[in-house]
Amino acid sequence: MATLRDVAREAGVSVATASRAINGLGNVTAPTRAAVMAAVKKLNFVPHSGARSLTRKKTDTVGVILPDLFGEFFSEIIRGIDLVAHESGMHLLLGNMHGSTHETAAAIAAMRGRVDGLLVMPPDLKPELLSDYLDPTLPTVLLNYDAGSLDLPFVAVDNYRGAYAMTEALLASGARQVVHIAGPKHNRDARDRQRGFVDAMAKVGGVRNPAILPGDFSEESGAKAARLLVEGQLPADAVFAANDQMAVGLIAGLAEAGKSVPDDIMVAGFDDIPLARHLNPSLSTMQVHIDRLGSTAMMLLLRILRGETLGAASATILTPALVARGTTGGVASAHTPA
Amino acid sequence: MATLRDVAREAGVSVATASRAINGLGNVTAPTRAAVMAAVKKLNFVPHSGARSLTRKKTDTVGVILPDLFGEFFSEIIRGIDLVAHESGMHLLLGNMHGSTHETAAAIAAMRGRVDGLLVMPPDLKPELLSDYLDPTLPTVLLNYDAGSLDLPFVAVDNYRGAYAMTEALLASGARQVVHIAGPKHNRDARDRQRGFVDAMAKVGGVRNPAILPGDFSEESGAKAARLLVEGQLPADAVFAANDQMAVGLIAGLAEAGKSVPDDIMVAGFDDIPLARHLNPSLSTMQVHIDRLGSTAMMLLLRILRGETLGAASATILTPALVARGTTGGVASAHTPA
DNA sequence: TTCGCCTGTGTAACCGGTTACGCTGTGAAC
DNA sequence: GTTCACAGCGTAACCGGTTACACAGGCGAA
């Protein structure tokens, strides 16, 4: 592969001039520039971005660290990020923490020198740990994570209000015994959603200790909850799953047990993954524009990179919207509002 | 941010020794190493991967260039790639050609110096153009693309055989008038699937010019095809969509028009996206393990990086499997074999 | 004519690591 | 007591770009 020196030699100029010509700096005469460009073409020269970023101290790349890469949730986030990043000529370096704390540290460390900024989504990490790993000099925006004491900008979904609203809606639809399927124990989203559910049950429904089944956001755990519900004879006329994935498993499990949704029991989820409106009956859920989570975070990061100093005060809270569909007795067919 | 020189100064050794200690080279005494490590801890030193890759001529990163980032298809590919890459300590740099040829060239060029190898999926690019953009010295594996003359290893799905098999199955189920919804005109996958359909119709069904409706792989274009079908009074007892996405739109469109699937008309797709088995009736389709497409390609690339020289001969063709579900009159309920 | 300035170009330092090579001091072999 | 091998460490070159600074030559002003 040709280097800048090769090009300079070929064009009969110095490396400085070659560099200037290639980067379109003003102080080069037209003939000189033409000669350099001809050499570039001839040698098929492409600048080595790694070397370039070393001196420029800019990589035009942002690191994205996600807990996993599974499912539509993450692909939508990435799409949202890419949408904004691409417009600014930024590249995306993917890091995956694969669920382990140790890997998270490694993923963050590996980013040093490769990226100009970081987008991190650490749903089950303690803030203190996170601050140990993070480089304070590296612009960072948190995804779906309110790191209060860290003073980092973040973008989050108002899980509490969303869960509260959904629970309220279920009660308004006539449900009396609403059961919640919780998400992973130390997942923040899951905990906030559970709090919203519990509070709404208490304040709106007048129920003190509503039934809560364990779950882990997986489809399988939703199916398991269905079995618990049916075999355990847990009285319920509505189930609010902490995410759509579990709601999907739940519905399948209930169908197997001969329960009809929504006639015997109503079901609601959270996230509004694309699949939700294609189910039959279609799934009532809290709509989160997942891609906006990514694009908003990326826009915040870009502002920091442009020189603004943003702290936790610049956080953006996205409020999810209730989408009533078939599983809560709404429109029975698929293809309700997208 | 601390540099290696800072660490060396702090530990009272030379940069060479510091480097050796940090990288675990043998020729450093235990006390010296301890001193260096203490300095690393104290200064919070993290090696600058950019600088490191400059001398090592290794970035531990692979570039992934995809036509788009939309939908489950791509997220599954990325997941498959990541799975293998992660095991080898590799990172993923995402490039997106956003549909344009010009962007493709830019995306590939931007990778120089940032990656050790490339995974490219150029579904609607001519081989000659592609070879112009590609750096012959950079290990490259093609995704879902047979670039015959280029002598590059690739991983592809046997679209032709898959489409042939599905068409055959539809005919075997009693369909007489099968209509195909094609994908984008210059998309290779789409063309191969169409060929498979046409050939099967001719050889197995004895039909010369089977009806083919245009499409572009989007759900919307599937819905449009449904309208054409119904309003145009095109006689059909089965529709084979070139991908699942279109099949989904088609089914919704047919439902709106009052047509029942599979009683009035059978429907089949291609890809087996996760959504397929959750539809009601569940969607018959050709199962492609999309994630394997990614992981297989990544494994090929790793072999090249380890020194093996692989050409087009190392190509892997993944054969899709037929999954008969509800939309072709198979098991009517959701949750057929995963 | 001389001075100064401005423009175009070259030299070399630098970014932050790695590593070839050279130097020093120790212990074993003679 | 030399000689020699070798282990441990330092110096400096290098990766491939960018850019501060120096410098040469052309021009207008005095």
Side-chain angles (χ1 to χ4, degrees), chain A residues 14 16-17 20 28-29 32 54-55 57 112:
Chain A
S14 72
T17 303
R20 285 189 278 252
V28 182
T29 54
T32 310
L54 196 53
T55 50
K57 290 173 178 312
R112 140 114 156 125

Side-chain angles (χ1 to χ4, degrees), chain B residues 207-280:
Chain B
V207 179
R208 268 312 151 97
N209 287 305
I212 296 179
L213 293 172
D216 62 5
F217 277 170
S218 75
E219 200 178 313
E220 178 47 41
S221 75
K224 201 166 153 190
R227 285 194 293 276
L228 284 176
L229 210 64
V230 174
E231 290 166 12
Q233 311 259 337
L234 194 59
D237 46 17
V239 180
F240 171 28
N243 77 342
D244 285 354
Q245 210 83 10
M246 292 198 295
V248 168
L250 175 78
I251 291 172
L254 290 175
E256 260 176 39
K259 296 275 183 184
S260 151
V261 174
D263 298 333
D264 294 340
I265 193 165
M266 292 192 280
V267 171
F270 205 114
D271 283 346
D272 195 26
I273 59 176
L275 169 55
R277 48 185 261 271
H278 287 115
L279 288 177
N280 199 346

Side-chain angles (χ1 to χ4, degrees), chain A residues 3-9 13-22 36:
Chain A
T3 76
L4 186 63
R5 328 253 169 201
D6 299 330
V7 172
R9 193 179 321 117
V13 299
S14 72
V15 287
T17 303
S19 173
R20 285 189 278 252
I22 289 169
V36 172

Side-chain angles (χ1 to χ4, degrees), chain A residues 25 57 67 84 105 112 132 160 223 274-275 303 331:
Chain A
L25 278 306
K57 290 173 178 312
V84 177
R112 140 114 156 125
D132 279 356
Y160 178 85
L275 169 55
R303 286 174 56 195
V331 191

Side-chain angles (χ1 to χ4, degrees), chain A residues 114-132:
Chain A
R114 292 181 195 276
V115 300
D116 295 337
L118 229 47
L119 254 30
V120 186
M121 174 159 162
D124 38 41
L125 213 63
K126 295 204 190 78
E128 315 86 61
L129 269 179
L130 187 62
S131 71
D132 279 356

Side-chain angles (χ1 to χ4, degrees), chain A residues 157 270-272 285-290 319-323 325 337-338:
Chain A
V157 172
F270 205 114
D271 283 347
D272 194 25
T285 185
M286 293 306 298
Q287 180 175 54
V288 179
H289 283 288
I290 307 176
T319 307
L322 188 118
V323 185
R325 296 203 184 101

Side-chain angles (χ1 to χ4, degrees), chain B residues 10-11 72 114 162 167 214 251 268 305 321 329:
Chain B
E10 175 75 27
E72 292 180 293
R114 293 180 193 277
T167 309
I251 291 172
L305 292 177

Side-chain angles (χ1 to χ4, degrees), chain A residues 264-335:
Chain A
D264 295 340
I265 193 165
M266 293 191 280
V267 171
F270 205 114
D271 283 347
D272 194 25
I273 59 177
L275 169 55
R277 47 186 262 272
H278 287 115
L279 289 177
N280 198 345
S282 52
L283 178 63
S284 295
T285 185
M286 293 306 298
Q287 180 175 54
V288 179
H289 283 288
I290 307 176
D291 55 337
R292 282 193 210 160
L293 206 63
S295 49
T296 307
M298 186 63 209
M299 287 170 73
L300 282 177
L301 186 56
L302 280 177
R303 286 174 56 195
I304 303 182
L305 293 176
R306 279 200 215 98
E308 296 185 48
T309 49
L310 268 45
S314 324
T316 306
I317 309 284
L318 302 175
T319 307
L322 188 118
V323 185
R325 296 203 184 101
T327 56
T328 53
V331 191
S333 90
H335 290 92

